[in-house]
């Protein structure tokens, strides 16, 4: 049986034969099935032919309605079958993954109309699965939500609690299986970075582990998030060293959907998170064996030094407006205590060399402790080069977390991703700034890449109206937003640059009776794809979100109005503060490119089909700045001239 959808001649170039078949799909097969012939789609197909033939990195900027997903999927599937390695489609977040694999999504359409059987499987991030240990703790609590967690525990598969045959095992515990949980409720039971999975007695019954067994066997496509792909890259060598399989199998090509967001995912993957209570729980495992007194004394000293360091960090950090991060204030005292902590850890490492030869400590426990200390030393060593360091504090119920991130990820990405001799496609409607891909290429360390841009085929001049309001007062924004929502009769997506602004809006409208005429759906109150489905089904509802500037695809009247509460300038958190500090002209080279890319994505949520019509509303005090309004007008689709609004 031919595994390709065309008659393959091994004497001829595979990519050329695949390209000829793909051209036939767009010229004949899909039009026969009722799809329109799109010149933009065919142009993109010929551009990707070169990317796959030469195994190069490619920036594929294609506007809304060009059908770019069909193009990269067809190349990825065929190339996966040729190389016998699955392709990776990495999406910016979990909601974009759901958009791609939904029953009426692009993969399902290709399978149906081209009579293809496509083996596509999801590789969801670890934090999208229940942690059995956290669920056990949550169901034993005494608060009002304990009943929810008890019900979740009772509904777990039988094999979680009772040994069963391998045939009885299957993936479970996915975030999507619990659509009505709020983000905070899920956080209480979902996996997090501080879970010690290697020594977990339940790891072979864990839904996350079982899902890994499932997606690794995909023949055609594995779909995951940017975060998950970068976690794979970052942990690849360590997992192999520990005798574990990498998170993802060897693959033939990678498509980064909404690829302009990859830098954030890369930084997140390279981040170290340190917590005193986690360190104490791991280091005290050594005390369970018959160890020498000198090691026991050194362990006590390390715990005391860790407590002191975290007290100092707590006292010496300051809050950041519109951010859940606190900035760490570097001082000579802090650097001194970091150095002292590192020295105590080094002393423990020396003691462990001696202890390991005496076999008084369980070998497995010893390995866990050694690896944790090694991670701590790598993180603390970054403090010796503060100019290359970004660090902040996150406050949680069980204490503060110190987050340490290397400032630049270019070198690591260049070595571990872009030096691989395989096709890598960045796909998005918005990657260029002023017709240049230099901003994204430089941030990711991409030295050489192909690139092309394809405009959207939609008639934006007749399909879209836009309005701008250079206002900053919360009262004025509430007044104007209500008027605009009444004009669109709900059916709106309100985009906020931060969780804090969304929460303030939610609080404020509860006191304004006229807002009660609309049904509001707020991100964080339920699983995101469930919220999107509800919004699409309830035509007059209003969806309020922070993370849906990209990727949301809702054609039809349910989304007839996109309202930006503020211009999406980057926050004044430690990450962007560091970027600004290193830039000669931070407003022009950091703030504006970030804002314009995100704003352009937000505008792109409105018109998703030829029959769509709607309005854009953009609010923000920065619109009074001539430099800003000029750039905002430039990123709007051709022919769309914004109307200036006032509150009166």
């Amino acid at each position: 049986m031919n595994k390709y959808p065309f008659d393959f001649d091994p004497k001829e170039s595979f990519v050329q034969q695949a390209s000829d078949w793909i051209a036939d799909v767009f010229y004949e097969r899909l039009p026969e099935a009722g799809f329109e012939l799109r010149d933009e789609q065919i142009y993109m197909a010929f551009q990707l032919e070169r990317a796959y033939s030469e195994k190069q990195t490619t920036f594929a900027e294609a506007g809304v309605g060009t059908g770019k997903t069909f193009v990269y999927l067809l190349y990825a599937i065929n190339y996966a079958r040729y190389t016998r390695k699955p392709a990776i489609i990495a999406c910016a977040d979990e909601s974009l993954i759901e958009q791609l694999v939904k029953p009426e999504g692009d993969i399902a359409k290709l399978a149906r109309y081209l009579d293809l059987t496509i083996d596509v499987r999801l590789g969801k991030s670890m934090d999208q699965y229940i942690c059995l240990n956290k669920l056990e703790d949550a169901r034993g609590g005494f608060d009002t939500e304990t009943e929810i967690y008890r019900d979740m525990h009772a509904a777990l598969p039988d094999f979680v609690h009772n040994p069963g045959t391998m045939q009885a095992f299957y993936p479970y515990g996915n975030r999507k299986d619990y659509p009505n949980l709020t983000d905070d409720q899920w956080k209480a039971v979902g996996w997090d970075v501080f879970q010690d999975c290697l020594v977990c007695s339940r790891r072979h019954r864990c839904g996350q582990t079982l899902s890994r067994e499932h997606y690794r066997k995909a023949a055609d496509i594995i779909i995951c998030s940017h975060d998950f792909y970068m976690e794979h890259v970052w942990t690849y060598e360590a997992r192999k060293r520990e005798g574990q399989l990498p998170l993802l199998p060897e693959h033939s090509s990678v498509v980064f959907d909404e690829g302009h967001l990859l830098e954030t995912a890369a930084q997140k993957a390279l981040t170290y998170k340190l917590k005193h209570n986690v360190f104490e729980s791991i280091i005290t495992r050594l005390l369970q064996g018959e160890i020498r007194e000198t090691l026991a004394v050194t362990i006590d000293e390390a715990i005391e030094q860790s407590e002191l360091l975290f007290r100092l960090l707590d006292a010496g950090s300051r809050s950041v407006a519109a951010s859940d991060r606190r900035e760490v204030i570097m001082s000579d005292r802090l650097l001194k205590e970091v150095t002292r902590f590192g020295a105590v850890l080094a002393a423990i490492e020396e003691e462990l060399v001696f202890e390991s030869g005496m076999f008084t400590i369980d070998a497995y426990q010893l390995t866990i402790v050694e690896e944790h200390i090694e991670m701590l030393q790598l993180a603390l060593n970054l403090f010796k080069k503060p100019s290359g360091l970004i660090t902040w504090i996150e406050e949680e119920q069980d204490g503060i977390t110190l987050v340490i991130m290397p400032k630049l990820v270019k070198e690591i990405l260049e070595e571990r991703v872009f030096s691989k001799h395989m096709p890598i496609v960045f796909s998005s409607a918005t990657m260029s700034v002023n017709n240049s891909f230099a901003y994204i290429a430089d941030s990711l360390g991409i030295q050489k890449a192909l690139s092309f841009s394809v405009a959207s085929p939609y008639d934006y001049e007749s399909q879209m109206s836009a309005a701008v309001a250079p206002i900053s007062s919360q009262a004025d924004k509430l007044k104007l937003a209500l008027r605009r929502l009444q004009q669109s009769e709900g059916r709106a997506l309100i985009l906020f640059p931060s969780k804090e602004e969304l929460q303030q809006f939610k609080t404020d409208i509860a006191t304004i009776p006229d807002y009660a005429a609309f049904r509001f759906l707020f991100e964080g109150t339920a699983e995101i794809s469930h919220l999107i489905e509800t919004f699409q089904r309830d035509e007059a509802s209003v969806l309020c979100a922070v993370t849906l500037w990209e990727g949301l695809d809702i054609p039809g009247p349910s989304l007839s109005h996109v309202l930006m509460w503020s211009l999406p300038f980057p926050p004044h958190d430690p990450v962007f503060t560091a970027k600004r500090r290193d830039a000669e002209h931070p407003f022009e080279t950091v703030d504006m490119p970030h804002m314009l890319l995100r704003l352009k994505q937000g505008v792109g949520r409105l018109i998703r089909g030829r029959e769509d019509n709607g309005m854009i509303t953009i609010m923000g005090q920065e619109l009074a700045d001539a430099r800003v309004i000029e750039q905002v007008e430039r990123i709007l689709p051709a022919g769309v001239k914004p109307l200036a609004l006032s509150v009166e």
Side-chain angles (χ1 to χ4, degrees):
M1 179 179 175
N2 185 13
K3 61 183 177 181
Y4 307 115
F6 53 86
D7 293 326
F8 174 57
D9 183 351
K11 299 176 184 177
E12 302 293 331
S13 161
F14 172 80
V15 174
Q16 181 61 57
Q17 293 177 76
S19 183
D20 290 343
W21 176 78
I22 290 170
D24 181 60
V25 166
F26 292 132
Y27 276 119
E28 297 182 15
R29 299 279 299 277
L30 289 179
E32 288 173 0
F35 291 83
E36 62 180 291
L37 178 64
R38 297 176 179 176
D39 292 336
E40 299 89 356
Q41 211 168 32
I42 293 166
Y43 174 77
M44 181 177 175
F46 283 115
Q47 294 296 317
L48 286 194
E49 177 190 338
R50 182 182 173 192
Y52 276 83
S53 177
E54 299 178 10
K55 301 179 183 178
Q56 290 214 47
T57 297
T58 302
F59 293 119
E61 184 177 57
V64 178
T66 53
K68 56 184 175 291
T69 309
F70 273 11
V71 181
Y72 73 61
L73 281 173
L74 289 174
Y75 272 101
I77 292 166
N78 280 290
Y79 197 67
R81 295 180 180 185
Y82 175 63
T83 59
R84 299 184 181 181
K85 298 176 184 176
I88 304 294
I89 310 295
C91 301
D93 56 39
E94 302 296 334
S95 64
L96 290 171
I97 291 174
E98 296 298 339
Q99 295 276 350
L100 193 59
V101 300
K102 60 187 179 182
E104 68 279 14
D106 286 337
I107 293 176
K109 289 177 182 175
L110 283 179
R112 185 183 314 124
Y113 294 112
L114 299 181
D115 194 26
L116 288 174
T117 299
I118 304 173
D119 184 8
V120 56
R121 308 189 188 192
L122 300 187
K124 292 222 166 192
S125 296
M126 285 91 81
D127 60 7
Q128 294 295 304
Y129 288 92
I130 284 174
C131 170
L132 294 174
N133 292 329
K134 288 178 71 175
L135 178 59
E136 189 71 38
D137 292 340
R139 79 184 183 105
F142 298 98
D143 57 34
T144 56
E145 296 177 340
T146 300
E147 195 63 36
I148 296 173
Y149 304 131
R150 287 175 180 164
D151 290 343
M152 291 175 67
H153 187 271
L156 292 173
D158 290 340
F159 63 73
V160 174
H161 312 293
N162 305 311
T165 62
M166 288 303 294
Q167 287 84 354
F169 287 14
Y170 54 86
Y172 68 94
N174 187 328
R175 169 71 172 105
K176 198 170 186 294
D177 297 336
Y178 306 95
N180 295 314
L181 287 189
T182 68
D183 286 356
D184 287 340
Q185 289 170 335
W186 176 258
K187 191 175 181 181
V189 296
W191 181 92
D192 64 59
V193 70
F194 294 112
Q195 300 312 304
D196 202 351
C197 299
L198 281 176
V199 294
C200 180
S201 60
R202 302 178 172 187
R203 65 186 183 277
H204 298 304
R205 296 285 194 273
C206 174
Q208 177 196 143
T209 305
L210 296 176
S211 74
R212 211 167 289 165
E213 292 297 317
H214 175 70
Y215 72 67
R216 290 185 63 86
K217 297 174 183 176
D220 293 326
I221 294 175
I222 298 173
I223 302 178
C224 65
S225 66
H226 289 179
D227 287 351
F228 193 61
Y229 188 83
M230 294 316 303
E231 187 71 18
H232 159 74
V233 170
W234 181 233
T235 61
Y236 182 84
E237 294 297 336
R239 292 183 70 87
K240 289 185 70 175
R241 191 167 59 245
E242 294 164 4
Q244 295 179 288
L245 289 172
L247 292 179
L248 292 167
E250 292 297 316
H251 40 277
S252 54
S253 65
V254 184
V255 176
F256 292 114
D257 201 3
E258 303 298 352
H260 62 289
L261 299 174
L262 184 63
E263 183 189 13
T264 302
Q267 287 181 315
K268 183 177 177 181
L270 298 178
T271 293
Y272 297 97
K273 288 194 172 187
L274 281 56
K275 209 164 192 168
H276 168 70
N277 60 1
V278 173
F279 168 69
E280 184 174 10
S281 69
I282 290 177
I283 201 72
T284 51
R285 291 176 181 178
L286 298 176
L287 299 176
Q288 297 171 8
E290 296 180 5
I291 61 173
R292 290 172 302 117
E293 184 178 354
T294 53
L295 175 56
V297 170
T298 309
I299 289 172
D300 288 339
E301 185 182 351
I303 293 172
E304 290 177 5
Q305 183 61 28
S306 174
E307 287 178 328
L308 173 61
L309 177 59
F310 276 85
R311 283 201 305 271
L312 189 63
L313 287 164
D314 195 10
S317 58
R318 61 187 175 202
S319 300
V320 177
S323 174
D324 56 1
R325 297 170 174 175
R326 285 159 50 189
E327 183 180 0
V328 174
I329 308 302
M330 289 293 183
S331 65
D332 291 341
R333 172 81 191 281
L334 175 61
L335 295 175
K336 179 181 177 182
E337 298 302 339
V338 166
T339 301
R340 184 173 294 171
F341 188 35
V344 178
L345 293 176
I348 292 177
E349 287 178 307
E350 291 179 8
E351 293 279 357
L352 291 179
V353 172
F354 186 83
E355 289 285 348
S356 63
M358 299 176 64
F359 304 103
T360 56
I361 303 175
D362 179 79
Y364 193 62
Q365 296 290 346
L366 181 62
T367 300
I368 297 302
V369 174
E370 287 177 332
E371 288 179 354
H372 190 74
I373 292 177
E374 181 184 2
M375 181 276 290
L376 286 173
Q377 291 286 41
L378 288 170
L380 295 176
N381 281 334
L382 289 173
F383 276 89
K384 296 176 182 178
K385 300 178 181 178
S387 61
L389 174 69
I390 303 172
T391 184
W392 66 86
I393 294 292
E394 293 178 354
E395 192 164 9
E396 297 171 346
Q397 289 183 344
D398 59 345
I400 64 169
T401 299
L402 172 63
V403 185
I404 301 173
M405 174 191 290
K407 189 178 295 182
L408 297 177
V409 297
K410 295 180 183 180
E411 294 83 359
I412 295 171
L413 288 176
E414 185 176 3
E415 174 191 347
R416 301 190 187 181
V417 179
F418 302 117
S419 65
K420 305 294 183 185
H421 195 52
M422 70 175 174
I424 298 176
V425 178
F426 285 80
S427 174
S428 177
T430 56
M431 282 186 290
S432 64
V433 178
N434 295 327
N435 300 317
S436 170
F437 294 94
Y439 176 72
I440 182 173
D442 181 62
S443 67
L444 295 172
I446 299 174
Q447 302 294 328
K448 180 183 178 184
L450 305 173
S451 65
F452 63 89
S453 295
V454 180
S456 171
Y458 296 148
D459 182 7
Y460 285 102
E461 188 172 1
S462 63
Q463 291 180 261
M464 175 189 292
S465 65
V468 295
I471 55 177
S472 59
S473 158
Q474 183 76 355
D476 287 347
K477 284 185 172 184
L478 288 165
K479 203 178 294 183
L480 181 59
L482 177 60
R483 195 170 81 207
R484 295 290 283 178
L485 288 175
Q486 289 169 338
Q487 188 175 337
S488 64
E489 299 177 336
R491 302 186 298 166
L493 169 68
I494 305 182
L495 294 170
F496 296 85
S498 69
K499 292 179 181 177
E500 290 75 15
E501 288 181 84
L502 183 149
Q503 187 57 47
Q504 186 62 53
F505 174 79
K506 183 179 180 181
T507 301
D508 290 342
I509 65 172
T511 65
I512 303 174
D514 287 344
Y515 271 101
F518 305 102
R519 180 190 182 188
F520 286 91
L521 305 168
F522 293 96
E523 182 177 358
T525 59
E527 192 269 332
I528 190 65
S529 63
H530 175 70
L531 279 176
I532 292 170
E533 184 181 335
T534 303
F535 171 61
Q536 189 167 13
R537 191 172 57 248
D538 184 353
E539 190 174 304
S541 62
V542 178
L543 177 58
C544 302
V546 176
T547 65
L548 297 179
W549 293 78
E550 295 90 8
L552 184 66
D553 183 19
I554 300 183
S558 292
L559 208 175
S560 299
H561 180 195
V562 177
L563 189 154
M564 286 82 157
W565 188 255
S566 300
L567 290 176
F569 281 103
H572 289 278
D573 69 6
V575 175
F576 282 98
T577 297
K579 285 190 173 188
R580 294 183 186 99
R581 195 181 296 128
D582 292 343
E584 186 175 352
H585 303 289
F587 184 75
E588 290 80 4
T589 60
V590 177
D591 291 1
M592 282 292 283
H594 177 94
M595 184 276 288
L596 291 171
L597 276 177
R598 205 149 198 229
L599 184 68
K600 197 173 179 182
Q601 282 284 350
V603 170
R605 297 314 98 217
L606 183 64
I607 305 300
R608 309 301 298 181
R610 290 193 185 276
E611 305 303 316
D612 284 356
N613 287 278
M615 54 196 266
I616 296 286
T617 305
I618 306 172
M619 299 193 291
Q621 60 183 355
E622 299 91 349
L623 291 165
D625 186 329
R627 296 174 301 170
V628 174
I629 189 63
E630 179 185 351
Q631 293 294 326
V632 168
E633 290 179 350
R634 185 177 295 177
I635 63 100
L636 290 173
V640 178
K641 303 297 181 185
L643 173 70
L645 297 176
S646 63
V647 181
E648 301 304 325

